[in-house]
């Protein structure tokens, strides 16, 4: 039945275009737009309220929680951007996220390369070990991890965040990169060896440039994961000297200024901006990466 | 893997061109060098896989094994582990039913088992509600948005935005909005409706639902985007054919679109279940699971036990229980639900 009508609609383009309108509903475009508007409103509404709340005084917020800024108060944002540690925390988060991303992409791709292209005994075993890592969330290992990092003297420093974050991001990276590297044509490798390149040379000259799309995908996911991380910094970044990352900074600000609603709103919104900007720049990559990881 | 494969094969022509330019005679390794080559190969493998494998074993596998070990001890985590006392499975039996000793069972039931089952119940409810509430809503939105309309790409972008925000910032935002004297309260009262007297999050009945709403706000975008990506892969001819045959919009969705994106839905459900079992950040940011643990999860109970009560052994037992839950859920789901999908994919040779 279905096949029958499919061929029919192929034969009759006019009918097909009429179908199109019927399929997409006669007046249902309004339903679509209505649903879209509600979804957008529910998503953006709270964020916009937060941003606007940062432009109000605590008095304004108390007098009329749902009102608009009147007059506009720049003080909250200005104070955070000029006085506190906001920039320092942002820089800390950036350092940790960039180092984590670099480590994940480099070591993950390196590990995936022999697993994809060498034939050797124990290859599947190693791959299964990495795959099983997907089942080990950082949450489960957090206390022994803390003790281990404490013994290494890494508690309260960057390394205590960066190295475990790389380790926990490796499984998904290896799983995404392996089929990607396996898809590179064999002829390429053979030609490179003919030209006298070693395997290592082939990896740096050919694999790294060709695997860029996959590396960007895993890199973007690793960056987001590190930027938003909360539990590991919460446990590791203790002590006076410890650097503070942005998510910790936001909660600290909230803890120290519990009554300053307008200030907390401004701080929280400012802390959201880098992630939103990164998302706007990398939207395609993030969505592809996630749906890729899901379908794989 | 479609996206990745596409970008991988996209390189194909370029690579082929380079290969043929360099001359594509197959390489035959010289026979007399075979042993040297073999050693060389293993060194290379070690260089490539070594760093990742070492990091993984040291910072993922080793702590997991240690967690299993700590869980068998009575251990005040402010003291060195040497002072801990081996108590076998007592930490586990306390969590499950208050321990085996009849004299202390009642006290331990209150102190250990009750908070534990409360947390397990909360995790289970979040899983159930994700499937019963988030899934239908996300599916409906995805089906309705699966067509051309003005501003489509912006709408998709916006719907997905909460997913990339840190749970900390999203959580604090909702803490502000849901303050007992905040805007949500005022708006609801403005509509003439009652509001929970102890605040949205602290109210014994409303607290959990409010928490679930916040989690849904944060994560439903992922479901919608994944479903839309799945729907984009459904052949238009099928929908057109059905439509010509007189199928209504609902019938097209119900008979064609939803069944065809079944695999995507099942993978989303898998991620959602595992994520729900391990839920921590959001619950912790919102007053550490609530003042009466109204939305405490196994993970918040574990961190609370380890950091506030310094009970390293019991916290480790909770961690291992959480791990067993995720593992069991994953294995059950993979064998019962997704086996068909994997088999289908293997048949296609993808």
């Amino acid at each position: 039945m279905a096949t029958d009508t499919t061929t029919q609609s192929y034969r009759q383009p006019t009918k097909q275009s009429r179908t199109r309108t019927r399929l997409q509903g006669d007046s249902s475009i309004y339903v679509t737009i209505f649903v879209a508007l509600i979804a957008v409103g529910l998503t953006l509404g709270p964020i916009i309220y937060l941003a606007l709340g940062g432009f109000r005084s605590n008095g304004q917020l108390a007098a009329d929680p749902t009102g608009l800024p009147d007059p506009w108060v720049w003080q909250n944002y200005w104070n955070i951007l000029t006085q506190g540690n906001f920039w320092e925390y942002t820089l800390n988060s950036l350092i940790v996220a960039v180092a984590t991303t670099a480590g994940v992409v480099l070591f993950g791709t390196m590990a995936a390369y022999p697993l994809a292209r060498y034939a050797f005994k124990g290859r599947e075993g190693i791959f299964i070990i990495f795959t099983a890592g997907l089942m080990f969330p950082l949450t489960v290992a957090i206390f022994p991890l803390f003790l281990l990092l404490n013994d290494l003297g890494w508690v309260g420093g960057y390394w205590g965040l960066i190295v475990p974050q790389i380790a926990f991001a490796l499984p998904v990276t290896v799983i995404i990169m392996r089929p990607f590297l396996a898809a590179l044509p064999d002829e390429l490798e053979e030609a490179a060896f003919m030209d006298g390149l070693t395997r290592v040379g082939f990896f740096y000259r050919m694999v790294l440039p060709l695997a860029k799309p996959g590396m960007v995908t895993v890199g973007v996911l690793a960056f987001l994961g590190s930027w938003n991380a909360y539990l590991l910094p919460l446990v590791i970044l203790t002590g006076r000297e410890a650097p503070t990352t942005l998510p910790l900074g936001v909660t600290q600000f909230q803890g120290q200024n519990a009554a300053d609603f307008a200030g907390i709103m401004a701080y929280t919104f400012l802390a959201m901006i880098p992630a939103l900007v990164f998302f706007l720049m990398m939207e395609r990559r993030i969505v592809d990466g996630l749906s890729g990881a899901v379908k794989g | 893997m479609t996206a990745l494969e596409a970008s991988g094969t996209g390189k194909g022509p370029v690579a082929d061109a380079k290969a043929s330019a360099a001359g594509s005679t197959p390489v035959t390794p010289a026979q007399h060098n075979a042993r040297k080559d073999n050693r060389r190969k293993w060194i290379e493998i070690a260089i490539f896989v070594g760093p990742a494998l070492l990091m993984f074993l040291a910072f993922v596998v080793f702590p997991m094994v240690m967690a299993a070990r700590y869980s068998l001890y009575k251990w005040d985590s402010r003291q060195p582990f040497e002072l801990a006392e081996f108590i076998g499975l007592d930490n586990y039996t306390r969590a499950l039913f208050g321990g085996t000793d009849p004299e202390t069972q009642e006290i331990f039931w209150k102190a250990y088992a009750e908070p534990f089952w409360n947390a397990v119940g909360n995790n289970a409810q979040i899983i159930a509600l994700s499937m019963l509430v988030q899934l239908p809503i996300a599916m409906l939105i995805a089906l309705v948005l699966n067509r051309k309309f003005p501003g489509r790409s912006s709408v998709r972008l916006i719907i997905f935005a909460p997913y990339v925000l840190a749970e900390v910032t999203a959580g604090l935002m909702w803490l502000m909005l849901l303050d007992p004297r905040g805007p949500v309260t005022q708006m609801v009262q403005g509509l003439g409706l009652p509001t929970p007297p102890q605040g949205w999050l602290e109210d014994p009945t409303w607290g959990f639902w409010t928490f679930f709403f916040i989690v849904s706000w944060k994560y439903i975008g992922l479901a919608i985007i994944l479903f839309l990506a799945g729907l984009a892969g459904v052949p238009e001819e099928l929908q057109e054919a059905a439509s010509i045959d007189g199928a209504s919009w609902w019938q097209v969705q119900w008979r064609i679109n939803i069944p065809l994106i079944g695999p995507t839905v099942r993978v989303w459900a898998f991620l959602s279940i595992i994520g729900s079992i391990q839920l921590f950040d959001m619950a912790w940011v919102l007053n550490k699971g609530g003042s009466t643990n109204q939305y405490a999860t196994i993970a918040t109970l574990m961190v609370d036990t380890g950091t506030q009560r310094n009970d390293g052994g019991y916290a480790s037992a909770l961690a291992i229980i959480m791990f067993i839950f995720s593992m069991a859920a994953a294995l059950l789901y993979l064998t019962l639900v997704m086996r068909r999908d994997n088999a289908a994919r293997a048949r296609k040779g993808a």
Side-chain angles (χ1 to χ4, degrees):
Chain A
M1 170 189 79
T3 358
D4 214 353
T5 37
T6 314
T7 39
Q8 214 174 55
S9 69
Y10 271 133
R11 254 186 268 125
Q12 299 171 342
T14 42
K15 189 167 183 183
Q16 192 185 15
S17 57
R18 228 185 308 139
T19 323
R20 196 93 286 259
T21 40
R22 221 182 85 191
L23 181 70
Q24 300 209 328
D26 314 299
S27 60
S28 75
I29 182 102
Y30 298 110
V31 176
T32 300
I33 291 174
F34 180 70
V35 170
L37 283 179
I38 289 183
V40 166
L42 278 175
T43 310
L44 279 190
I47 301 177
I48 291 171
Y49 177 82
L50 187 76
L52 289 176
F55 284 111
R56 306 177 73 194
S57 67
N58 284 313
Q60 287 181 33
L61 282 169
D64 179 14
T66 48
L68 288 169
D70 179 36
W72 288 67
V73 179
W74 297 87
Q75 206 64 32
N76 302 312
Y77 286 108
W78 183 249
N79 286 350
I80 294 163
L81 292 175
T82 54
Q83 290 168 16
N85 308 8
F86 179 80
W87 293 108
E88 186 195 322
Y89 297 165
T90 308
L91 185 66
N92 288 336
S93 275
L94 194 64
I95 291 171
V96 173
V98 167
T100 302
T101 307
V104 168
V105 170
L106 177 67
F107 294 122
T109 311
M110 277 169 63
Y113 176 58
L115 295 179
R117 303 198 69 92
Y118 282 45
F120 63 94
K121 231 174 138 183
R123 185 179 76 166
E124 293 311 305
I126 293 177
F127 185 65
I128 286 170
I129 292 176
F130 278 119
T131 319
L134 279 184
M135 290 292 114
F136 302 163
L138 200 146
T139 328
V140 171
I142 190 72
F143 291 116
L145 190 60
F146 171 80
L147 294 174
L148 172 66
L149 296 169
N150 202 22
D151 289 345
L152 292 169
W154 286 359
V155 164
Y158 291 127
W159 290 114
L161 284 186
I162 295 167
V163 178
Q165 281 183 359
I166 294 174
F168 276 91
L170 280 173
V172 76
T173 308
V174 170
I175 288 167
I176 292 183
M177 289 309 288
R178 190 195 192 202
F180 198 91
L181 295 180
L184 297 179
D186 287 340
E187 296 82 21
L188 186 66
E189 204 169 35
E190 285 157 11
F193 294 158
M194 283 296 282
D195 286 354
L197 267 182
T198 58
R199 290 245 187 207
V200 181
F202 177 72
F203 178 78
Y204 281 104
R205 301 267 193 85
M206 305 299 292
V207 173
L208 286 187
L210 286 177
K212 223 181 219 160
M215 287 159 67
V216 171
T217 299
V218 293
V220 163
L221 295 180
F223 188 93
L224 261 187
S226 169
W227 184 269
N228 291 340
Y230 180 54
L231 177 59
L232 189 63
L234 183 73
V235 174
I236 297 298
L237 299 181
T238 50
R240 241 167 245 278
E241 306 286 297
T244 299
T245 58
L246 204 48
L248 279 189
V250 184
T251 52
Q252 269 176 22
F253 185 90
Q254 182 230 4
Q256 288 158 6
N257 308 279
D260 181 10
F261 272 39
I264 297 172
M265 286 183 169
Y267 206 113
T268 308
F269 181 65
L270 284 174
M272 281 180 177
I273 291 178
L276 288 175
V277 170
F278 182 73
F279 169 58
L280 286 179
M281 289 184 334
M282 293 288 176
E283 186 251 343
R284 233 7 310 146
R285 286 287 167 201
I286 295 172
V287 173
D288 284 357
L290 284 169
S291 31
V294 165
K295 284 183 195 159
Chain B
M1 199 48 63
T2 346
L4 295 179
E5 271 168 11
S7 36
T9 45
K11 293 290 175 195
V14 184
D16 286 345
K18 277 186 190 162
S20 55
S24 51
T25 333
V27 187
T28 42
Q31 297 291 315
H32 63 277
N33 268 346
R35 247 176 60 198
K36 207 175 132 196
D37 274 3
N38 199 35
R39 220 183 72 190
R40 199 194 153 98
K41 189 177 100 178
W42 280 106
I43 292 172
E44 283 169 8
I45 291 170
I47 291 172
F48 279 122
V49 184
L53 196 60
L54 280 180
M55 260 193 278
F56 184 73
L57 291 175
F59 294 96
V60 180
V61 177
F62 174 71
M64 289 291 304
V65 173
M66 291 313 278
R69 182 169 173 228
Y70 296 152
S71 73
L72 304 174
Y73 286 80
K74 180 184 161 68
W75 171 37
D76 180 341
S77 55
R78 285 163 301 187
Q79 310 276 340
F81 183 66
E82 286 72 47
L83 300 175
E85 178 196 342
F86 183 83
I87 54 169
L89 293 174
D90 276 9
N91 284 320
Y92 293 93
T93 56
R94 271 176 213 177
L96 296 175
F97 46 84
T100 43
D101 187 344
E103 273 179 41
T104 52
Q105 196 170 22
E106 206 169 317
I107 311 166
F108 282 176
W109 171 266
K110 275 234 172 309
Y112 294 97
E114 235 174 50
F116 171 74
W117 287 112
N118 170 55
V120 172
N122 287 341
N123 284 100
Q125 281 186 69
I126 288 167
I127 293 175
L129 289 172
S130 302
M131 299 305 134
L132 296 174
V133 179
Q134 276 180 18
L135 173 59
I137 293 177
M139 179 64 78
L140 198 63
I141 294 177
L143 291 175
V144 171
L145 296 186
N146 180 37
R147 56 177 295 165
K148 288 199 173 70
F149 62 92
R152 180 170 76 155
S153 54
S154 314
V155 168
R156 289 183 181 201
L157 194 71
I158 290 168
I159 288 177
F160 191 55
Y163 183 78
V164 300
L165 294 177
E167 302 212 354
V168 172
T169 53
L172 278 180
M173 179 185 82
W174 281 106
L175 211 53
M176 296 287 108
L177 284 155
L178 294 167
D179 187 86
R181 285 155 301 164
V184 174
T185 309
Q186 201 198 29
M187 268 157 53
V188 173
Q189 282 171 350
L191 294 171
L193 298 169
T195 52
Q198 298 176 50
W200 296 97
L201 282 159
E202 282 307 313
D203 190 90
T205 38
W206 282 89
F208 177 81
W209 290 96
T210 309
F211 176 69
F212 177 71
F213 169 80
I214 298 174
V215 171
S216 303
W217 182 87
K218 177 85 170 64
Y219 286 105
I220 205 166
L222 176 70
I224 297 173
I225 290 297
L226 290 179
F227 296 169
L228 280 171
L231 286 170
V234 176
E236 277 185 18
E237 299 84 48
L238 276 181
Q239 307 171 31
E240 280 163 12
S243 196
I244 291 169
D245 281 355
S248 69
W249 185 85
W250 273 112
Q251 283 171 322
V252 172
Q253 308 308 323
W254 194 247
R255 297 280 169 84
I256 295 173
N257 280 339
I258 295 179
L260 280 178
I261 64 165
T264 310
V265 176
R266 287 191 277 276
V267 178
W268 168 80
F270 175 70
L271 294 179
S272 173
I273 290 170
I274 300 291
S276 301
I277 293 175
Q278 296 165 3
L279 197 59
F280 171 78
D281 290 9
M282 187 65 89
W284 193 256
V285 170
L286 299 170
N287 301 328
K288 303 183 177 172
S291 53
T292 55
N293 294 323
Q294 60 272 29
Y295 44 87
T297 63
I298 308 177
T300 63
L301 182 64
M302 176 196 83
V303 173
D304 185 64
T305 309
T307 59
Q308 325 278 312
R309 290 196 270 157
N310 300 304
D311 192 341
Y314 187 62
S316 298
L318 290 175
I320 295 299
I321 291 174
M322 184 165 67
F323 169 66
I324 292 171
F325 280 165
S326 333
M327 193 73 143
L331 289 178
L332 273 178
Y333 200 82
L334 287 175
T335 47
L336 295 181
V337 182
M338 281 159 74
R339 197 182 42 189
R340 274 188 311 157
D341 293 342
N342 290 333
R345 195 154 43 186
R347 269 201 307 279
K348 274 194 298 184

